[in-house]
Structures are given as C-alpha cells and as structure tokens.
Amino acid sequence: MKKKLNVFCVLMLVLMALQVIMSVVLNFNEHVQAFNEGWQEGRKGDYVSAYEFFGGLLIVILGVACFYLIIRSLVSLVRFILNVNRDKVFVWQNVSLLRWAGWGLLIPYIIIIVSELLNHVPIRQIYIEDSDSLIFGVFCLIMAEVFAIGLKLKEEQDLTI
C-alpha cells in the first residue's frame, strides 16, 4: 500500500512540476515581448499614468504571490512524500501539507481566471489552458479531507476500550 501511495504521489509531483515548467516555457515569449514593449516605451520618454503604473504593479505583486504559492505547494507535496516514506502517513502534519498544496494551486488558478476575464479572454479557452491546476488543487484538498477523516476515526478508536 505504501508503494502505491508513493508511486501516485511521485507521479502527481512530476505532473505538477511539468505543469509549472510548461506554463513558463509556453508563456515565456509573451512575457519577453511585453517586457520589451514596456522597455521601448520607457526609452521614448512617454510617461505612463498612475492608473497604468499601479495596475502594472498589482500584476507584478499578484504574479509573485502566484509564483510563491505554486512553489510552496510543490514543497508541501515533496514534504508529504517524505513523510509517507518515513512511515508517518496518518499524522496531522500531512493534512496541513496537503491543504497547502491544494490551496497553493487553487488560488493562483482563481487569480489567473480573474485576470484573463478582465482581458476579455473566453472562459472556454481559460479552462482548456489552465484546468490541470484546478484538478490537481481539488484532488489535493480531497486527499487532505480523507486524511483528516481517517485521523479523526483513528483518534476515536484509540479512545475506546
């Protein structure tokens, strides 16, 4: 049973890492192009309005927050796998790690949806491109709740005579 859980956890970790790498690689040219456009506008001496400046600053802050949450979810999943390998399967720390992994994937997904909708991107296209993050996040949260229920049942059983 432990081997199956390890295999599934490592598979999920590899898929999550692949998702992060692919999203960075696929969107890299767009980010470079936007940076170059902003750089050229700045060299022309054209000043941006305060609305554009703070909008860009908000996008940068949300991007850094999303990056932090995704990295934190990957680290949480690695720590969960290490706990399972150390025979610490049903402990409250694993529930917390799985919740971090789940919310760390769902919150950036929600931020991406909102920003894409504000840029008038169709919801169908957003779902096709970013649905894997939604699926992984919900799956981690479901696993966390299953572990929490299992821990509660274990604690109740330990209290019975």
Side-chain angles (χ1 to χ4, degrees), residues 47-64:
Y47 296 102
V48 296
S49 67
Y51 176 75
E52 291 173 342
F53 174 76
F54 287 115
L57 185 63
L58 179 65
I59 289 172
V60 169
I61 291 171
L62 288 176
V64 170

Side-chain angles (χ1 to χ4, degrees), residues 114-130:
V114 169
S115 68
E116 294 291 326
L117 287 176
L118 291 176
N119 289 329
H120 306 291
V121 177
I123 190 75
R124 180 177 168 213
Q125 181 181 351
I126 297 169
Y127 181 76
I128 289 171
E129 292 175 359
D130 300 320

Side-chain angles (χ1 to χ4, degrees), residues 9 15 93 146:
C9 288
L15 290 174
Q93 183 185 14
V146 167

